[in-house]
Amino acid sequence: MSRNAKINTLLLLAVAALAVLPLVLGLGDHKKEPFAGADAEAETAITEIEPDYEPWFSPLYEPPSGEIESALFALQAALGAGVLAYYFGLRRGRRQGEERAPAASEATAVPRDTPEGD
């Protein structure tokens, strides 16, 4: 197994562990919504500290349900990942093209048949 394959395998195992360990260890079992986002946690903490708190802003669009909100968040994450993947792929392609350009120009150079003294 090559070095890159070993590193990729270890990274995949680490990601799988990060996804599975909270479920196996029961982290969040004491909460009503164990996997609520940080926004909900912050809102709960603020209302506990200051019950009369009035938010400065209200959302422009409030999704009708939590499922739609999760789907929109997943769509946003997928679009962001797509933009990043396109950018890094474009950079890699340009770098590979720049590396191949000198080799291609040397291969297409026409050799001279006559010596320079003629």
Side-chain angles (χ1 to χ4, degrees), residues 33-82:
E33 293 183 33
F35 299 107
D39 292 344
E41 294 280 334
E43 186 178 344
T44 303
I46 290 170
T47 53
E48 286 176 3
I49 294 170
E50 184 67 42
D52 298 332
Y53 175 75
E54 288 290 325
W56 294 0
F57 300 101
S58 61
L60 296 175
Y61 171 70
E62 186 74 35
S65 70
E67 291 83 11
I68 293 175
E69 185 176 358
S70 294
L72 289 174
F73 181 75
L75 177 65
Q76 176 186 354
L79 287 173

Side-chain angles (χ1 to χ4, degrees), residues 68-94:
I68 293 175
E69 185 176 358
S70 294
L72 289 174
F73 181 75
L75 177 65
Q76 176 186 354
L79 287 173
V83 168
L84 282 175
Y86 174 78
Y87 171 74
F88 286 119
L90 186 66
R91 277 189 54 198
R92 183 175 183 184
R94 285 184 181 169

Side-chain angles (χ1 to χ4, degrees), residues 1-25:
M1 186 181 275
S2 71
R3 183 173 187 264
N4 285 341
K6 289 178 184 177
I7 291 172
N8 288 341
T9 303
L10 287 174
L11 288 173
L12 284 172
L13 288 173
V15 168
L18 286 173
V20 172
L21 280 176
L23 298 173
V24 171
L25 297 176

